[in-house]
Amino acid sequence: MSRKERRRQEKLAQQQSAAIQKNPLQAAGQFFQAGNFDEAAPLLEQVLTTDPQNFDATMGLAIIHATRGNLDQAIPYFEKAASIRPDDAEAHFNLGRALGDSGRLDEAASAYRRSMEINPHVEGPHVNLGNILKDIGDMAGAAQCYRHALEINPNQVLSHSNLGNVLEKQGLFDAAVAAHTQALAIDPNNA
């Protein structure tokens, strides 16, 4: 490496360091967006030492831990994010996903219900709550959730397919065939 190139890289490193110290949350966001969680996580932790109620830093750390499969570490951050912004539907939805993935189905269902109370016009919480209800044997409740999801997005193949599955388990074969037929009309290659 030439002397000129080495100086240029040193200057760039100093500029990056100054930018990080000036606004660690913004720098963490850039690392996060680039998928560089190893650089983002300590900056987000630094933000929380000076601003423990920072929603963005809390949610960022929750997502990093969840992405890495560390649900025991992610869930407290998701819970904290939901408490910082109790009317943030996405915070409750993400909490529900982490709780569901860790097998805490009752708590996950509560988080999804809260997300739907805040914003009933997003299909994800309806679908995920339907999946939980299906898993615990509440086929009628699951069918209702999938129908709500389909009201929001009638072209959601998975919701049609899931609805067909729970209708079949309820013995409603004609309705199940209709739901699966609708799924195939949208995606003819769906297995």
Side-chain angles (χ1 to χ4, degrees):
M1 176 183 317
S2 73
R3 179 182 228 179
K4 184 177 178 180
E5 178 62 22
R6 188 175 45 239
R7 275 193 235 131
R8 187 188 73 72
Q9 287 183 359
E10 288 171 357
K11 183 177 179 180
L12 181 62
Q14 288 172 350
Q15 290 171 341
Q16 287 175 334
S17 178
I20 288 171
Q21 289 188 13
K22 182 177 179 183
N23 192 338
L25 184 60
Q26 183 179 6
Q30 291 170 349
F31 286 125
F32 187 92
Q33 291 298 323
N36 189 344
F37 295 157
D38 290 337
E39 295 290 335
L43 293 173
L44 294 171
E45 290 168 358
Q46 176 186 338
V47 169
L48 289 180
T49 60
T50 58
D51 182 6
Q53 297 299 307
N54 187 293
F55 176 82
D56 294 325
T58 302
M59 186 61 83
L61 283 168
I63 292 169
I64 288 170
H65 287 300
T67 301
R68 290 177 170 168
N70 302 327
L71 295 176
D72 289 341
Q73 293 174 309
I75 289 170
Y77 283 110
F78 281 128
E79 290 172 333
K80 182 178 176 185
S83 73
I84 294 169
R85 289 195 187 160
D87 292 329
D88 188 300
E90 188 175 350
H92 291 278
F93 175 71
N94 286 325
L95 173 59
R97 287 179 57 185
L99 290 165
D101 288 346
S102 69
R104 295 163 60 179
L105 300 184
D106 289 341
E107 293 171 88
S110 294
Y112 290 136
R113 285 185 179 104
R114 178 66 183 133
S115 180
M116 292 183 311
E117 287 172 11
I118 298 165
N119 186 355
H121 307 293
V122 177
E123 69 189 88
H126 295 280
V127 173
N128 289 6
L129 179 58
N131 293 340
I132 288 173
L133 295 176
K134 176 179 59 98
D135 289 346
I136 64 172
D138 181 357
M139 298 306 150
Q144 183 180 14
C145 288
Y146 298 138
R147 285 186 181 110
H148 284 299
L150 289 167
E151 288 172 8
I152 297 164
N153 181 0
N155 293 317
Q156 175 49 260
V157 173
L158 184 60
S159 293
H160 284 289
S161 180
N162 287 345
L163 178 58
N165 292 338
V166 298
L167 292 171
E168 180 183 348
K169 289 182 185 200
Q170 291 179 288
L172 303 169
F173 300 113
D174 290 340
V177 168
H180 286 300
T181 300
Q182 185 62 37
L184 288 171
I186 297 167
D187 180 6
N189 298 318
N190 190 293

